[in-house]
Amino acid sequence: MNSPTTLIIYHSAAGSTELLAKAIYAGAAEIDSAALIALNPADIVAGRYVNEGVLQQVDQASAIIFGTPTYMGGASAQFKAFADATSERWCEQRWADKLAAGFTIGANLNGDQLSTLTYLSIFAAQHGMLWCGLDLAGGYDAEGRNRLGCQLGLTAHSLDGQIHEIDQKTAFYLGRRIARLAQRFK
């Protein structure tokens, strides 16, 4: 079986992050091979992520899009457990030169989602990855995408677990953008 070019790996607690992940996947899959991996809480043992099979799938992808809800101004504990489990890969720089991007959602319009994206971009930089943000100027896109105006990655807002239509369009766009860039780097 061939490895997907673009891999979306995410944690979703209430389902809204998963809805964004699925929209990103749809955009990426329109361009090239893509896969979704939801971080499973059962794979966290004593606070540490232990699914080596998932980590090996990440090793094989050309582009990785990380997703997590924003809790208390940062990534969820479940996502952080996954990130912490990548230290051996960091030491060996196994993910160096892969493309990376990120997305997050929160219950407030700001909710410090930028802090989560900053964490994800630093995580990618530590691995030697090449971070790709949105190339949509907030408030200037003809379709209204990137409505919250974050260039570092996709931020979304939801009070009721539903995803705003424009945030879904932005997620789809992000998936297409990263898949197109991954093709250019092949």
Side-chain angles (χ1 to χ4, degrees), residues 22 59 160 167 170 174 177:
K22 287 179 177 179
D59 292 345
D160 58 5
D167 294 342
T170 307
L174 178 65
R177 172 174 165 69

Side-chain angles (χ1 to χ4, degrees), residues 10-23 36 38-39 41 67-71 103-106 156-164 168:
Y10 66 96
H11 167 250
S12 184
S16 57
T17 309
E18 182 173 40
L19 292 173
L20 287 173
K22 287 179 177 179
L36 276 172
L39 295 173
T68 174
T70 294
Y71 290 141
F103 64 102
T104 190
I105 188 166
H157 165 249
S158 175
L159 288 174
D160 58 5
Q162 301 299 309
I163 304 297
H164 193 285
Q168 288 180 346

Side-chain angles (χ1 to χ4, degrees), residues 121-135:
S121 68
I122 291 170
F123 171 63
Q126 288 176 328
H127 278 282
M129 300 174 81
L130 307 170
W131 186 262
C132 302
L134 282 173
D135 61 345

